[in-house]
Amino acid sequence: AQPAAAAAAAAARVKAGTYTVDPDHTQVIWSVDHFGFNRLYGMVGGMSGSLQLDPARPAAARLQIDIPLSGLT
């Protein structure tokens, strides 16, 4: 199948609603370049939030994520 057709078919299966973040399966992994000498990496878990989605109005989607810095590693 053509990529655009496959994407359209997948989008048609998306249901409108509010989706809640699963804090046990959501992570942000980050890295920062330290003046070109080395790269530092870290991870943050335990987030909460939600995604409000209406496939008929994708531009109106809203994402709200709370990242607890106490979970920074």
Side-chain angles (χ1 to χ4, degrees), residues 5-21:
R13 292 191 302 263
V14 174
K15 294 182 180 171
T18 299
Y19 297 86
T20 303
V21 169

Side-chain angles (χ1 to χ4, degrees), residues 7-65:
R13 292 191 302 263
V14 174
K15 294 182 180 171
T18 299
Y19 297 86
T20 303
V21 169
D22 179 350
D24 294 327
H25 294 96
T26 305
Q27 301 168 337
V28 171
I29 299 171
W30 58 270
S31 69
V32 63
D33 182 355
H34 183 67
F35 300 108
F37 294 108
N38 59 356
R39 185 164 290 276
L40 303 172
Y41 296 91
M43 182 170 51
V44 180
M47 287 170 266
S48 62
S50 63
L51 169 65
Q52 295 176 353
L53 182 63
D54 180 354
R57 299 177 48 230
R62 297 185 54 108
L63 176 65
Q64 184 267 321
I65 300 288

